[in-house]
Amino acid sequence: MIGNFQQDKILYEGKNSLIYHQDESSWDTPVVVKVLSKQYPTPQQITQFNNELEFTQSLNIKGIRRVFASEKHQGKHCLVMEFVEGDTLKSFFTTHQPDLRLFLQTAIQVAHTLGEIHNHQIIHKDINANNVLIDSKTHQTTIIDFGISSRINLKTTHLENPDRLEGTLSYISPEQTGRMNRVVDYRTDLYSLGVTFYELLTFELPFYSNDSLELIHAHIAQEPLPPSVINPAIPQVVSDIVMKLLHKNAEDRYQSAFGLAHDLEQCLEQLDNEGQITPFEIAQKDFSGNFQIPEKLYGRDEEVNKILNAFQRACDGKKELLLVQWGLSK
């Protein structure tokens, strides 16, 4: 059972929850207690809140935060979770300005953990620089916050209000926006991981806007500047790896977090042995263990470009009429 919370032990105060730290607990280890702020949450809010317990209690994976129990305290729903020492990746890389070697070591850890999560048929759906912790001394990484995670079931995402989409909008994949008529699978996490890597390397996001619709449009239709263009000190192959993760079509990204980890490990090996990273052909060991029917449209590059150009002109305020004919012409 959890005891009374000390108000000076608040670690984080979010929109919907408070997180407290407790040095002593019945689990014989320091814990954090996440408390749902609302006194009378909806059934959907309760289900989402308890997702972290459901998706992590059976996982024996190094690099994720364990959840011990779901309880009620003073009428409010609580999650008791392992206390993980560390800063968010965003905070750590901003304040410490780590070198390329530490970036690669960090990226490899996160990729392997994400691959294990996917092997258990779970999509995280909110990978970002604030949902990965890093210990400043050991540099061990931990993925947290499985609140909106789901099983891999090829579920189609429906069109929703852009201010209520699942995930963090700056990191969200094109298919997760619900505006591409594409299923959301484990490769959505790889796109979000690409955004995270981009931010850690360049200290910038690939796309930034205060307008939700403009940001969604950027994820769907705009190409970001390669990291090596923003910072020429970034090796070209590392930049290429990040840009592959950021492909609009899931089929063009890495198909496995382990394939990604292999290329990152090759980069680190070159850096350690030769002092530099020379170009090599990436994704040669990238194989998916899941059978996927491609949703990409093949052989219609000209038509697709016409549609995208018309969409861009419409976004710029012009009026467009586009007719699409289905079926084979005689």
Side-chain angles (χ1 to χ4, degrees):
M1 296 293 292
I2 53 179
N4 293 323
F5 307 127
Q6 298 181 29
Q7 294 301 315
D8 60 347
K9 293 287 187 176
I10 295 179
L11 292 181
Y12 173 78
E13 184 172 355
K15 182 179 179 181
N16 299 312
S17 63
L18 292 172
I19 296 181
Y20 297 84
H21 176 242
Q22 283 190 318
D23 292 318
E24 298 181 357
S25 72
S26 56
W27 288 270
D28 297 324
T29 183
V31 298
V32 291
V33 182
K34 186 176 183 179
V35 183
L36 192 59
S37 301
K38 294 185 178 180
Q39 190 76 44
Y40 302 104
T42 65
Q44 182 179 2
Q45 289 171 330
I46 296 173
T47 299
Q48 182 170 311
F49 184 76
N50 287 323
N51 257 3
E52 190 137 12
L53 174 63
E54 178 185 349
F55 286 109
T56 62
Q57 64 181 346
S58 61
L59 296 182
N60 185 23
I61 298 175
K62 181 181 180 181
I64 67 169
R65 180 169 63 188
R66 293 176 296 166
V67 181
F68 297 125
S70 174
E71 300 183 5
K72 293 193 75 172
H73 179 78
Q74 297 179 353
K76 293 186 178 181
H77 292 267
C78 305
L79 284 180
V80 185
M81 303 179 291
E82 175 186 16
F83 172 70
V84 178
E85 187 74 44
D87 301 316
T88 65
L89 284 185
K90 187 181 185 75
S91 173
F92 181 80
F93 273 72
T94 301
T95 56
H96 291 77
Q97 296 186 347
D99 56 19
L100 178 61
R101 187 175 187 277
L102 183 53
F103 165 78
L104 290 171
Q105 290 175 327
T106 301
I108 290 167
Q109 284 189 72
V110 177
H112 274 293
T113 302
L114 193 59
E116 292 292 343
I117 292 170
H118 292 164
N119 273 352
H120 285 78
Q121 303 299 301
I122 294 172
I123 316 171
H124 187 281
K125 293 169 68 176
D126 199 14
I127 295 293
N128 62 65
N130 288 312
N131 278 344
V132 182
L133 304 180
I134 181 169
D135 188 305
S136 59
K137 296 179 181 178
T138 66
H139 299 151
Q140 173 66 43
T141 60
T142 305
I143 295 177
I144 64 171
D145 200 350
F146 286 73
I148 61 170
S149 298
S150 65
R151 301 287 178 186
I152 298 176
N153 60 1
L154 302 183
K155 179 182 177 182
T156 302
T157 304
H158 299 288
L159 191 67
E160 295 184 29
N161 184 321
D163 294 316
R164 292 186 299 181
L165 290 173
E166 289 185 330
T168 305
L169 203 53
S170 294
Y171 300 82
I172 203 170
S173 71
E175 62 270 22
Q176 206 171 343
T177 66
R179 284 154 172 78
M180 292 186 68
N181 194 28
R182 298 284 303 259
V183 297
V184 175
D185 60 31
Y186 59 93
R187 293 171 295 188
T188 192
D189 287 341
L190 295 175
Y191 180 93
S192 300
L193 188 59
V195 177
T196 302
F197 288 171
Y198 191 105
E199 183 179 17
L200 299 184
L201 287 167
T202 67
F203 303 103
E204 298 179 13
L205 288 165
F207 311 110
Y208 177 79
S209 175
N210 290 321
D211 185 282
S212 299
L213 288 175
E214 185 178 353
L215 194 51
I216 287 174
H217 167 68
H219 282 301
I220 294 173
Q222 293 182 8
E223 292 295 329
L225 286 174
S228 58
V229 172
I230 298 175
N231 180 3
I234 298 172
Q236 185 60 49
V237 69
V238 174
S239 180
D240 292 343
I241 289 171
V242 174
M243 292 301 289
K244 185 171 181 63
L245 289 167
L246 292 177
H247 269 294
K248 308 302 182 185
N249 290 311
E251 291 84 2
D252 296 326
R253 297 174 205 150
Y254 279 92
Q255 301 302 294
S256 162
F258 294 121
L260 166 64
H262 176 273
D263 285 352
L264 293 169
E265 287 166 348
Q266 192 168 341
C267 290
L268 181 59
E269 183 178 351
Q270 284 193 20
L271 187 62
D272 286 342
N273 294 337
E274 304 170 20
Q276 62 179 352
I277 302 173
T278 55
F280 60 87
E281 191 172 356
I282 63 175
Q284 293 305 292
K285 298 292 185 180
D286 181 38
F287 306 104
S288 171
N290 298 307
F291 175 71
Q292 296 285 149
I293 299 176
E295 296 180 85
K296 181 179 178 180
L297 188 61
Y298 291 92
R300 292 291 185 270
D301 292 344
E302 181 180 351
E303 289 81 358
V304 169
N305 286 331
K306 286 181 179 179
I307 294 172
L308 290 175
N309 290 335
F311 177 64
Q312 182 62 58
R313 291 192 294 270
C315 290
D316 292 338
K318 297 181 180 180
K319 296 180 179 179
E320 290 284 331
L321 174 63
L322 187 66
L323 302 178
V324 179
Q325 178 182 350
W326 294 95
L328 299 175
S329 58
K330 295 182 180 180

